[in-house]
Amino acid sequence: MERSKFGTMHVDITQLSLIGTGITFSPKAIRRQPTKEKSMNILHIDSSALGQNSASRELTAALVARLRQLHPEARVIHRDLDSDPLPHLSARTLAAADDAIVAENAAVLQHFLDADVVVVGVPVYNFTIPTALKAWIDRIAVAGKTFRYTAEGPEGLAGDKRVLLAVTRGGLRGADRFEESYLRFMFGFFGIGDVESIRAEGLNLSPEHRQKAMAAALQNITRLDDESRREAA
């Protein structure tokens, strides 16, 4: 498991402009801890197109089960971005002329803001995240809600969360993890410093390799606790 590293560039699509090239930021991650008065809110995001055959879905389900084992009172909101996709950004969605789209966007954002822990399934397609997951990222990247610009530079506003990424790859790419770098950058831009990865790689090499990779990832999940264990490499 790894903590987040942050980047230095942001494309603010919601404002239709390129902003922040060369700007550095150091968002502070102060994770909100559930109390007796407030139960944990878990946001569970799946994005794989493979349904019941999905490795990332198996890992996100195991992550949520482990969190519920640690916090039996936890409340879970599940969004399946394959069976219930969000429309990609377009002239129509950006115009905010459709009340149904506006309402759904607001609900998606509020679910993210309310979450204490966000579990995200990240199957790697063509070296990056699924487009359905990108559409979700575009809905939560909202100026004044998850980030803002100040005289000192960008400031994340959603740092009171933990993000758990269930990353699955068909091949082996070593330290070349473009899709994770992108997600760590985005969540870091929102102020979230606690981003951890559970990985299962080389799933398409052979049935034996897939079984071993999934077993190792699931074993790592059983050791998950309320705190991050290791610094990012």
Side-chain angles (χ1 to χ4, degrees):
M1 297 185 193
E2 301 181 353
R3 289 185 185 276
S4 176
K5 290 182 179 179
F6 306 116
T8 59
M9 184 170 137
H10 174 58
V11 179
D12 182 3
I13 299 178
T14 62
Q15 302 299 316
L16 294 180
S17 61
L18 297 176
I19 306 173
T21 301
I23 297 176
T24 60
F25 58 93
S26 299
K28 296 180 179 179
I30 304 174
R31 194 188 326 144
R32 178 174 47 201
Q33 292 292 340
T35 65
K36 292 182 180 180
E37 293 74 27
K38 180 185 182 301
S39 60
M40 173 180 281
N41 289 326
I42 301 170
L43 179 58
H44 177 184
I45 301 293
D46 277 319
S47 60
S48 172
L50 297 182
Q52 296 303 311
N53 296 317
S54 165
S56 66
R57 288 175 185 271
E58 183 176 349
L59 296 185
T60 60
L63 280 166
V64 171
R66 175 58 178 162
L67 290 168
R68 297 194 77 168
Q69 183 181 38
L70 294 169
H71 299 276
E73 81 292 346
R75 294 173 292 187
V76 180
I77 290 179
H78 182 216
R79 179 76 188 228
D80 187 331
L81 296 173
D82 181 63
S83 64
D84 188 16
L86 292 163
H88 293 288
L89 291 181
S90 65
R92 178 169 174 261
T93 58
L94 289 170
D98 187 317
D99 290 342
I101 291 177
V102 171
E104 181 173 41
N105 289 347
V108 169
L109 174 61
Q110 195 60 51
H111 289 159
F112 177 73
L113 294 175
D114 290 344
D116 299 293
V117 182
V118 183
V119 175
V120 185
V122 189
V124 178
Y125 296 162
N126 296 323
F127 308 107
T128 189
I129 64 173
T131 59
L133 184 55
K134 177 58 167 63
W136 177 75
I137 291 289
D138 288 339
R139 295 316 190 283
I140 63 174
V142 179
K145 296 293 186 178
T146 52
F147 70 92
R148 66 183 176 186
Y149 290 103
T150 71
E152 290 74 35
E155 178 184 1
L157 302 177
D160 57 347
K161 304 182 190 307
R162 182 186 197 183
V163 174
L164 301 173
L165 305 177
V167 184
T168 54
R169 300 183 184 87
L172 295 170
R173 299 213 319 275
D176 178 18
R177 297 176 177 133
F178 169 79
E179 69 291 331
E180 283 188 57
S181 297
Y182 167 71
L183 290 172
R184 289 171 181 277
F185 173 84
M186 288 304 303
F187 288 120
F189 191 83
F190 301 153
I192 304 171
D194 193 350
V195 181
E196 305 164 61
S197 295
I198 296 288
R199 302 188 188 96
E201 302 178 280
L203 300 181
N204 293 339
L205 297 182
S206 71
E208 294 77 16
H209 190 100
R210 179 187 178 93
Q211 183 178 12
K212 290 180 180 179
M214 289 297 292
L218 291 168
Q219 182 62 33
N220 284 335
I221 290 173
T222 66
R223 294 194 289 265
L224 185 76
D225 61 16
D226 283 332
E227 298 298 331
S228 301
R229 288 291 189 179
R230 290 162 43 187
E231 296 290 339

